[in-house]
Amino acid sequence: MITYASNIDQMVIDGCKKHMRKTCGDVLDNLKGECYQVLIEDCIPVLKRYAKEGRMFDYVINDLTAVPISTSPEEDSTWEFLRLILDLSMKVLKQDGKYFTQDTTCFGNRVSRVAVAVLVAYTVTLARLIGMK
């Protein structure tokens, strides 16, 4: 069973059903099928509930829109939010599960030192959450 907790709203779902049929097929017509469920909810309470219930998943896909621009946690509360999502995701991920993430942060045509530092900080944060040094 695949459960997808989404922070998007019904208007986005309706737009995808209408304009992106080749991509989503009929999955969004009925948000629950034999092997999937799409929840239009805030993922934090869902992840907390699943962690409390002991539910575990083979895959967790993080579809956050960006890695924080700052490398200093004190400067950007987005890091705190990101750590919360990562921590909750690890709590519901099976020991041999796979965690996927994306980065849609735009740094232009060349990778700057700031971009590299931000991605390193993100990697270090993730490694700490899963117990790596």
Side-chain angles (χ1 to χ4, degrees):
M1 169 72 90
I2 297 172
T3 302
Y4 175 72
S6 173
N7 291 334
I8 61 176
D9 59 27
Q10 190 61 48
M11 188 166 63
V12 174
I13 295 292
D14 293 342
C16 290
K17 285 193 304 192
K18 182 177 180 179
H19 301 290
M20 297 182 70
R21 279 289 174 183
K22 288 184 179 180
T23 302
C24 66
D26 63 356
V27 168
L28 298 178
D29 294 336
N30 182 2
L31 300 179
K32 188 171 184 177
E34 187 177 311
C35 61
Y36 71 91
Q37 179 179 11
V38 178
L39 305 173
I40 312 299
E41 299 181 41
D42 183 341
C43 71
I44 293 173
V46 171
L47 288 170
K48 285 181 177 179
R49 182 174 70 240
Y50 288 168
K52 185 177 180 179
E53 293 170 357
R55 290 190 62 183
M56 302 296 285
F57 295 89
D58 295 313
Y59 300 95
V60 173
I61 302 170
N62 173 338
D63 194 24
L64 295 175
T65 56
V67 171
I69 298 300
S70 168
T71 58
S72 300
E74 299 80 24
E75 294 177 18
D76 193 341
S77 64
T78 308
W79 277 107
E80 186 176 321
F81 172 75
L82 183 61
R83 282 190 191 99
L84 174 63
I85 298 295
L86 290 170
D87 182 52
L88 291 170
S89 296
M90 294 303 118
K91 287 180 179 177
V92 301
L93 185 65
K94 289 181 180 178
Q95 183 68 28
D96 61 345
K98 305 290 186 220
Y99 179 80
F100 297 94
T101 190
Q102 69 162 346
D103 175 27
T104 57
T105 305
C106 179
F107 295 110
N109 289 333
R110 65 182 179 87
V111 178
S112 69
R113 281 186 245 180
V114 173
V116 171
V118 167
L119 293 174
V120 167
Y122 179 82
T123 303
V124 168
T125 298
L126 182 57
R128 285 185 186 142
L129 284 171
I130 60 173
M132 295 174 62
K133 299 278 181 191

